[in-house]
Amino acid sequence: MDLIKKLWRARKLILVVMIPLSLLPLPLIHPTSEACCAYVLIVTAVYWVSEAVPLGAAALVPAFLYPLFGVLKSSEVAAEYCKDTTLLLMGVICLAASIEKWNLHKRIALRMVMIAGAKPGMLVLGFMCCTVFLSMWLSNTSTTAMVMPIAEAVLQQLISTGVADTQEDSETVEATEDDYKEENLEQNQRERLDSLYLFLSLFQTAISIPEPKKEKESKDSRYPTKRDHMICKCLSLSITYAATIGGLITITGTSTNLIFAEQFNNRYPDAKVINFGTWFIFSFPIAIILLLLTWVWLHFLFLGCNFRETCSLSKKRKTRREMLSERKIHDEYIKLGPISYPEVVTGVFFILMTLLWFTREPGFVPGWTSLFQKKGYRTDATVSVLLGFLLFLIPARRPFSRAPRTPAGDSSAERDPDPMAPMITWKDFQNLMPWEIVILVGGGYALAAGCKVSGLSVWIGRQLEPMSGLPPWMVTLLACLLVSAVTEFASNPATLTVFLPILSALSETLQINPLHTLIPATMCVSFGVMLPVGNPPNAIVFSYGHVQISDMVKAGFGVNLIGVLVVMLAIMTWGVPLFNLTEFPDWAIARNVTGSL
């Protein structure tokens, strides 16, 4: 038993050593470029899926194995680790650092929840809406980590004001301005209920009357009633699902979108179809449909079907706990104080960056890049880095003002007497910059370059020719189901990095527009929401202790199924005219011919 325990503790080290050794006969027996590239690809993929080594460290495997096996030069591999999307991500992180430093994200979240109200159904929808909006620009992980403490404060207020008797909890009081009348009304109701219970107890001694079942949790539970527990589960899961949905909307919303955009543009350089505008037009309706269907599914699963009770917009009748929850949210908003100058500057930069992205090459009208003589030099990364750089220069203090309002809890800002201190510092940027993701994305580009140069992608495509009899929608559906299943147990970026070259080769072999399979697979890889290990937002929500794994599996399966169906609906309807999916495009034909040569 001791030997087994030692082996289990050393399983990752054993895997790291044994996988390369066991696969080494492949390049030795078949010393071709395809076999050597396949060896590197399999070793890297196993390291990613098993997480035997950190994802960023595993992404460095092509950097030394490709030169050793003669697939790519060291300088060529190094060039793949820093691309246009790296600069795009750096600029977005600068804006995200400013948003978080000056608490603009907290103000947006609390304001949206105040608008939604404290009814359970509307409260969940309000948190989902603000999470989706924030996740469009911030990473899914940081959005969940920011919104969950706010939601937890509301849930704790809900629990602390809960009562054991659900019948008493469902009694509503008129939301009038006269607090004295409310107290008298509640006291009279309690007296009448006590008299009724006394009469029933005396009457029960004469004839046997079954007592009504009270929906209580066990004595050692921290939830007053089962309904309170269901509300906590529903709100917690809704935040991680909303973060995933919001990340789908923009190219920079999640790392998998960046991986797709860069690998697609690198493999098909003549295809000028994927940019911020086209992606947003395609994904925004998907996100809206997913948001509403996910909310309905979670409401049905945890809160039941009584939408009138949990989603009433009327402010005349509210329960006591709803009034206290609204007061708690309002107090948190008041603590932020009036909107500050740095928040205004951050908001202006946020709007300006979005507008410049949309209007760069909108497609239906000439964009602002048409003002320059040389075409093709300016991308979304140009805008992102420019505005991010300006945040290091613009002072955080209003001109001719005495003192700035520092963000809550920022003691370093309070000690900083510099009147010209910028909006963000390099330390603020460095704290948010996901360097592991940057290296991971670079490793994916290196693998894709090796597959292209060695001819492995062409060989894979030839092996997939038996699937040529399937219709395009069937190929896309199988790809979506396969990717969404694998990503439940492996990281999203690693899964997509492995599957993108395979699906590209498959599309070229079957003469299908590559976007028909690549875009749905990219979106479905984000639907790993059934387990805590599926993605970091799931783990964050699970750590609060409101949900169990069985709850996540049950709710996540429905969300996963809804996501695949909505993505398939989108790619078969408005995606067809947007990306011209009915034809095998010229840029894919040119790539296919070049690869064959």
Side-chain angles (χ1 to χ4, degrees):
M1 292 299 295
D2 292 338
L3 179 60
I4 295 176
K5 290 181 180 179
K6 290 180 181 179
L7 291 176
W8 178 254
R9 284 195 293 265
R11 65 188 184 279
K12 291 187 176 180
L13 179 60
I14 295 174
L15 187 65
V16 169
V17 175
M18 293 303 298
I19 289 299
L21 293 179
S22 61
L23 295 174
L24 195 56
L26 176 62
L28 294 180
I29 298 176
H30 302 281
T32 61
S33 297
E34 294 90 340
C36 294
C37 182
Y39 173 79
V40 179
L41 177 63
I42 295 173
V43 170
T44 308
V46 172
Y47 283 173
W48 274 338
V49 173
S50 63
E51 298 188 19
V53 293
L55 295 178
L60 295 175
V61 171
F64 60 86
L65 284 186
Y66 273 163
L68 289 177
F69 283 103
V71 178
L72 286 174
K73 295 180 180 179
S74 183
S75 58
E76 295 173 341
V77 179
E80 299 295 330
Y81 280 84
C82 185
K83 292 286 188 177
D84 184 69
T85 50
T86 305
L87 299 178
L88 175 65
L89 180 62
M90 293 175 69
V92 172
I93 292 299
C94 291
L95 180 61
S98 182
I99 290 175
E100 293 197 14
K101 179 177 182 179
W102 301 106
N103 283 325
L104 180 60
H105 59 317
K106 191 173 183 180
R107 183 180 297 276
I108 293 172
L110 289 173
R111 190 63 185 176
M112 295 183 72
V113 173
M114 288 171 61
I115 294 174
K119 287 286 185 180
M122 297 306 298
L123 184 67
V124 170
L125 184 60
F127 267 102
M128 290 184 72
C129 289
C130 71
T131 305
V132 166
F133 178 75
L134 293 174
S135 186
M136 291 169 58
W137 317 104
L138 307 176
S139 70
N140 298 354
T141 304
S142 60
T143 301
T144 306
M146 181 277 299
V147 177
M148 268 307 295
I150 302 175
E152 182 67 14
V154 175
L155 292 177
Q156 291 303 323
Q157 182 67 32
L158 181 73
I159 293 172
S160 63
T161 57
V163 291
D165 194 341
T166 58
Q167 293 181 350
E168 183 179 351
D169 174 64
S170 63
E171 292 291 332
T172 58
V173 296
E174 292 292 335
T176 61
E177 298 179 356
D178 194 346
D179 296 337
Y180 179 74
K181 289 183 179 181
E182 283 186 2
E183 294 177 359
N184 287 342
L185 178 61
E186 291 179 359
Q187 183 176 1
N188 293 335
Q189 290 177 344
R190 286 196 297 270
E191 290 176 356
R192 288 195 296 268
L193 286 174
D194 292 340
S195 301
L196 178 61
Y197 291 152
L198 178 60
F199 172 76
L200 289 175
S201 62
L202 293 174
F203 185 69
Q204 191 176 3
T205 59
I207 59 177
S208 177
I209 297 180
E211 294 184 359
K213 294 182 179 180
K214 297 181 180 180
E215 196 178 3
K216 295 182 182 180
E217 289 281 280
S218 59
K219 293 182 179 179
D220 56 346
S221 174
R222 56 172 173 163
Y223 307 100
T225 65
K226 184 178 179 180
R227 180 175 176 79
D228 292 330
H229 195 184
M230 292 295 105
I231 294 175
C232 292
K233 289 181 179 181
C234 185
L235 184 56
S236 299
L237 290 175
S238 69
I239 290 174
T240 181
Y241 298 155
T244 298
I245 294 171
L248 300 176
I249 300 178
T250 60
I251 284 288
T252 59
T254 182
S255 59
T256 53
N257 293 357
L258 289 171
I259 292 172
F260 159 74
E262 187 59 34
Q263 286 208 18
F264 179 82
N265 292 328
N266 190 34
R267 188 180 182 94
Y268 307 105
D270 296 331
K272 307 296 182 182
V273 292
I274 296 297
N275 54 45
F276 186 89
T278 56
W279 183 272
F280 185 88
I281 293 173
F282 176 74
S283 60
F284 185 73
I286 295 177
I288 296 299
I289 298 173
L290 273 177
L291 175 65
L292 294 177
L293 292 181
T294 302
W295 174 68
V296 171
W297 166 245
L298 292 176
H299 194 290
F300 167 76
L301 200 61
F302 296 106
L303 303 180
C305 300
N306 193 352
F307 288 88
R308 176 177 294 182
E309 177 186 350
T310 60
C311 305
S312 174
L313 297 177
S314 175
K315 297 183 179 181
K316 294 182 179 180
R317 301 181 63 84
K318 301 176 183 178
T319 63
R320 176 173 172 268
R321 66 173 56 195
E322 289 167 359
M323 295 171 63
L324 292 175
S325 297
E326 287 187 355
R327 191 179 305 167
K328 177 70 174 179
I329 297 172
H330 185 265
D331 292 342
E332 290 292 328
Y333 186 81
I334 294 298
K335 289 180 183 178
L336 295 177
I339 188 168
S340 63
Y341 172 74
E343 288 179 88
V344 174
V345 173
T346 304
V348 170
F349 270 61
F350 172 79
I351 296 173
L352 184 60
M353 182 179 290
T354 305
L355 290 177
L356 289 176
W357 277 344
F358 267 113
T359 58
R360 182 176 66 86
E361 289 180 355
F364 52 91
V365 293
W368 55 265
T369 55
S370 61
L371 301 176
F372 298 89
Q373 292 183 353
K374 293 184 178 181
K375 308 299 181 183
Y377 282 78
R378 289 147 291 275
T379 64
D380 291 337
T382 309
V383 175
S384 176
V385 173
L386 172 61
L387 296 182
F389 174 74
L390 292 178
L391 289 173
F392 288 100
L393 302 181
I394 298 178
R397 181 177 297 186
R398 189 196 306 265
F400 311 109
S401 64
R402 295 184 177 181
R405 182 174 68 81
T406 57
D410 190 353
S411 58
S412 62
E414 294 175 0
R415 295 193 303 266
D416 190 3
D418 186 6
M420 299 300 293
M423 291 286 296
I424 60 173
T425 62
W426 185 257
K427 185 178 180 180
D428 298 327
F429 167 79
Q430 196 170 5
N431 289 337
L432 281 185
M433 185 63 189
W435 293 110
E436 183 182 35
I437 296 299
V438 172
I439 298 175
L440 176 64
V441 173
Y445 301 154
L447 287 176
C451 293
K452 177 181 177 181
V453 172
S454 65
L456 179 62
S457 58
V458 177
W459 181 86
I460 293 175
R462 289 172 181 169
Q463 309 310 309
L464 299 174
E465 287 181 356
M467 298 181 62
S468 58
L470 296 177
W473 68 268
M474 180 64 71
V475 176
T476 303
L477 179 60
L478 292 176
C480 291
L481 294 177
L482 179 61
V483 166
S484 60
V486 173
T487 194
E488 294 290 348
F489 308 97
S491 69
N492 298 352
T495 302
L496 188 66
T497 303
V498 171
F499 274 94
L500 278 180
I502 299 175
L503 293 177
S504 298
L506 174 64
S507 301
E508 294 168 8
T509 302
L510 304 183
Q511 298 289 297
I512 301 174
N513 191 320
L515 293 175
H516 204 294
T517 56
L518 298 183
I519 291 180
T522 301
M523 291 195 161
C524 290
V525 82
S526 297
F527 297 145
V529 294
M530 292 176 60
L531 296 172
V533 297
N535 54 50
N538 285 9
I540 293 174
V541 169
F542 185 76
S543 66
Y544 278 81
H546 296 300
V547 297
Q548 299 176 348
I549 293 181
S550 59
D551 299 319
M552 300 193 76
V553 171
K554 182 170 55 176
F557 178 78
V559 174
N560 202 331
L561 184 61
I562 292 171
V564 171
L565 294 178
V566 173
V567 169
M568 287 299 300
L569 173 67
I571 203 67
M572 299 299 293
T573 52
W574 65 85
V576 174
L578 182 62
F579 299 114
N580 195 18
L581 298 179
T582 56
E583 300 178 359
F584 190 61
D586 295 336
W587 45 263
I589 295 175
R591 169 64 181 80
N592 200 17
V593 172
T594 305
S596 301
L597 295 175

